[in-house]
Amino acid sequence: MTDEQIPESWRAALTGVLDTPASRQLGQWLRQEEAAGKQIFPPRSQWWRALELTPPDAVKVVILGQDPYHGAGQAHGLSFSVPDGVKVPPSLANIYKELGSDCGIPRPAHGNLEGWARQGVLLLNTSLSVEAGQAGSHARRGWEAITGAAMAAVAASSLPTVFILWGNHAQAAAARIPALGSTGRHLVLKSAHPSPLSAHRGFLGSKPFSRANQFLEAHGRTPIDWRA
């Protein structure tokens, strides 16, 4: 895949994987899907939004999702986030519930997490696109290699970083990044997914937000203002 919208700050990390036959095949397949009239979320202009808002040298926390929301108007390129004016989805509602319990922060009136992204929270999905109404429809088409390369670049960095992995999918994706477990300089927080089906199995009460900030402060990095 080649895409002029890939942020310049990430090109060095992604060039190798973008030039592979698999990535070129992904780009061709996506163009064919669009030509066939398939509705794809988010719009192409927002596929790289998470990378655009959070350059590699600014990443303090990685929150890894699976694929974009597949309902109209929900996805805008950031995992778990929705644009202003869109109803807060159930998983994000549970994230806000845990945020309140963990940090005493009142539930925000919106679901837009761009404020987190601008502070260094990389809100990355493993797939950056999805067909309308078809959850997981763009999985295993090639996105995983690209987003995995982005994660690997963060894991290889000398900057201590927090990786928040909610659910089996995120944990499996992170397990494919050897440097993440071998360097010892990063904090990896694992729990159940915040979806209504699993939040009570270990997500609620896991205190990821305060634990992330404690780690960042202990390593000389500015903590995240989770109210943003």
Side-chain angles (χ1 to χ4, degrees), residues 5-112:
Q5 294 171 334
I6 297 172
E8 189 62 36
S9 62
W10 284 94
R11 286 188 181 273
L14 300 182
T15 294
V17 69
L18 291 172
D19 288 341
T20 62
S23 289
R24 289 194 291 271
Q25 186 175 14
L26 168 64
Q28 181 181 11
W29 180 77
L30 288 166
R31 288 189 293 272
Q32 290 171 344
E33 292 290 282
E34 290 173 322
K38 301 285 184 69
Q39 189 173 18
I40 294 175
F41 296 140
R44 180 180 283 268
S45 63
Q46 295 179 336
W47 287 355
W48 308 100
R49 186 65 172 157
L51 303 185
E52 178 185 330
L53 290 179
T54 315
D57 60 0
V59 178
K60 298 175 184 176
V61 178
V62 178
I63 297 181
L64 189 64
Q66 187 163 353
D67 59 357
Y69 294 120
H70 54 83
Q74 291 182 303
H76 66 144
L78 306 177
S79 62
F80 297 101
S81 179
V82 292
D84 290 325
V86 175
K87 182 180 178 181
V88 173
S91 290
L92 182 54
N94 280 330
I95 290 170
Y96 282 167
K97 182 176 181 180
E98 176 61 19
L99 183 62
S101 174
D102 185 10
C103 301
I105 295 173
R107 172 173 166 155
H110 60 83
N112 191 333

Side-chain angles (χ1 to χ4, degrees), residues 5-228:
Q5 294 171 334
I6 297 172
E8 189 62 36
S9 62
W10 284 94
R11 286 188 181 273
L14 300 182
T15 294
V17 69
L18 291 172
D19 288 341
T20 62
S23 289
R24 289 194 291 271
Q25 186 175 14
L26 168 64
Q28 181 181 11
W29 180 77
L30 288 166
R31 288 189 293 272
Q32 290 171 344
E33 292 290 282
E34 290 173 322
K38 301 285 184 69
Q39 189 173 18
I40 294 175
F41 296 140
R44 180 180 283 268
S45 63
Q46 295 179 336
W47 287 355
W48 308 100
R49 186 65 172 157
L51 303 185
E52 178 185 330
L53 290 179
T54 315
D57 60 0
V59 178
K60 298 175 184 176
V61 178
V62 178
I63 297 181
L64 189 64
Q66 187 163 353
D67 59 357
Y69 294 120
H70 54 83
Q74 291 182 303
H76 66 144
L78 306 177
S79 62
F80 297 101
S81 179
V82 292
D84 290 325
V86 175
K87 182 180 178 181
V88 173
S91 290
L92 182 54
N94 280 330
I95 290 170
Y96 282 167
K97 182 176 181 180
E98 176 61 19
L99 183 62
S101 174
D102 185 10
C103 301
I105 295 173
R107 172 173 166 155
H110 60 83
N112 191 333
L113 303 181
E114 287 189 2
W116 293 4
R118 295 182 189 280
Q119 293 182 73
V121 182
L122 181 60
L123 295 163
L124 188 67
N125 283 311
T126 54
S127 295
L128 301 187
S129 62
V130 69
E131 183 181 343
Q134 303 291 326
S137 53
H138 290 190
R140 295 178 294 280
R141 289 285 182 176
W143 278 124
E144 292 85 354
I146 297 171
T147 54
M151 282 186 55
V154 175
S157 169
S158 62
L159 296 171
T161 302
V162 183
F163 288 77
I164 298 179
L165 309 174
W166 292 327
N168 293 334
H169 178 87
Q171 291 164 27
R176 294 191 288 271
I177 311 298
L180 186 54
S182 63
T183 64
R185 62 176 166 266
H186 304 307
L187 175 65
V188 180
L189 300 177
K190 301 178 182 179
S191 78
H193 194 275
S195 77
L197 294 175
S198 58
H200 292 279
R201 300 175 187 167
F203 170 75
L204 296 175
S206 61
K207 300 186 181 299
F209 307 103
S210 62
R211 292 167 69 191
N213 275 352
Q214 288 165 5
F215 175 85
L216 292 172
E217 289 185 288
H219 289 82
R221 305 197 72 186
T222 305
I224 305 298
D225 181 355
W226 298 107
R227 297 170 298 177

